[in-house]
């Protein structure tokens, strides 16, 4: 049997084709997560957090092969993003950004398995950020979602369209944090070919 792959199992949410905003109903999921603040392009904290997530994710993966659930493909890097002033995202004021970086977990991976993987990864790599990796649950439900192709810095017009036009036109308002799923590796993929799922949980505007 092929290893579990979230991009295949939840294709609607990890491989969308729509390049204009559309509302989808996102199911509950569990993730490993690390928090931080600052510019993801220049912050050592961001780099260390991402490395810690992958260290734990791959340790869990190897342990999962010995369980009834079996092997899985480590999912793409994801992030929740927020700032005191939303304009920080449309103007590129990245030093004021806060974030929670995520990697999804198959449903059979327990909190105990993550704790064991965290301890094993910490003992091997000696990076303090690994100790901060935790399990979080998200159930975003109704969310505006779109596939963006191109450099990360070119997302601003789509985000401005969402907040300045799309939400009001559809009687919606933001609920929860902006969510991004990174389907390409910026170290190996040309910027113009990067694919990113942009997602914003929403709710109806009540009179």
């Amino acid at each position: 049997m092929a290893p579990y792959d979230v991009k295949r199992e939840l294709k609607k949410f990890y491989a969308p084709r729509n390049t204009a905003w559309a509302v989808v109903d996102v199911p509950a999921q569990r993730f490993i997560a690390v928090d931080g603040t600052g510019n993801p392009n220049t912050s050592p904290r961001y780099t260390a957090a991402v490395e810690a997530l992958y260290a734990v994710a791959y340790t869990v993966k190897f342990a999962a092969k010995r369980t009834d659930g079996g092997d899985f493909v480590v999912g793409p890097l994801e992030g929740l993003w927020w700032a005191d002033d939303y304009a920080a995202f449309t103007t590129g004021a990245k030093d004021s950004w806060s974030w929670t970086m995520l990697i999804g977990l198959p449903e059979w991976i327990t909190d105990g398995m993550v704790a064991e993987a965290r301890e094993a990864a910490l003992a091997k790599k000696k990076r303090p950020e690994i100790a901060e990796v935790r399990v979080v649950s998200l159930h975003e439900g109704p969310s505006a979602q779109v596939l963006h192709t191109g450099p990360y810095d070119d997302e601003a017009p789509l985000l401005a369209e969402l907040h300045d036009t799309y939400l009001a036109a559809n009687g919606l308002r933001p609920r929860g944090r902006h969510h991004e799923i990174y389907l390409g590796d910026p170290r190996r993929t040309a910027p113009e070919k990067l694919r990113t799922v942009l997602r914003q949980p929403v709710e109806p505007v009540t009179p």
Side-chain angles (χ1 to χ4, degrees):
M1 185 172 65
Y4 175 90
D5 186 345
V6 69
K7 298 188 300 297
R8 180 183 66 242
E9 300 298 328
L10 296 178
K11 189 174 182 179
K12 182 177 181 180
F13 311 105
Y14 283 84
R17 296 184 178 182
N18 56 296
T19 55
W21 291 101
V23 174
V24 295
D25 191 7
V26 183
Q29 291 178 260
R30 293 169 66 251
F31 302 85
I32 51 174
V34 179
D35 302 314
T37 59
N39 188 334
N41 295 333
T42 59
S43 169
R45 166 68 181 179
Y46 179 84
T47 301
V50 172
E51 290 176 351
L53 278 180
Y54 277 109
V56 174
Y58 276 99
T59 305
V60 171
K61 169 186 168 65
F62 295 135
K65 293 180 179 181
R66 302 189 295 271
T67 69
D68 291 339
D71 195 10
F72 67 92
V73 176
V74 171
L77 182 67
E78 308 184 36
L80 303 177
W81 300 87
W82 68 100
D84 292 338
D85 182 356
Y86 183 80
F89 293 102
T90 56
T91 61
K94 298 180 181 180
D95 289 340
S96 64
W97 292 2
S98 295
W99 38 265
T100 298
M101 304 314 295
L102 310 161
I103 294 177
L105 294 173
E107 62 181 13
W108 69 87
I109 301 299
T110 66
D111 290 5
M113 291 174 67
V114 173
E116 291 176 3
R118 183 174 57 232
E119 294 305 313
L122 184 61
K124 183 177 181 179
K125 294 186 175 292
K126 312 294 185 184
R127 300 196 65 114
E129 293 81 10
I130 292 174
E132 301 176 35
V133 175
R134 69 189 196 284
V135 177
V136 300
S137 297
L138 290 178
H139 189 181
E140 293 174 307
S143 300
Q145 180 175 279
V146 71
L147 178 65
H148 167 72
T149 302
Y152 302 137
D153 288 343
D154 288 355
E155 294 173 7
L158 268 176
L159 297 177
E161 177 190 359
L162 173 70
H163 288 270
D164 296 344
T165 305
Y166 181 84
L167 292 180
N170 289 275
L172 300 170
R173 64 185 177 192
R175 175 189 50 81
R177 292 171 175 166
H178 175 69
H179 189 164
E180 298 193 352
I181 302 171
Y182 306 104
L183 302 178
D185 185 342
R187 298 170 301 176
R188 299 181 176 89
T189 305
E192 65 273 13
K193 294 183 179 180
L194 289 171
R195 295 181 302 129
T196 308
V197 179
L198 308 182
R199 183 186 298 160
Q200 175 61 59
V202 295
E203 63 185 3
V205 175
T206 55

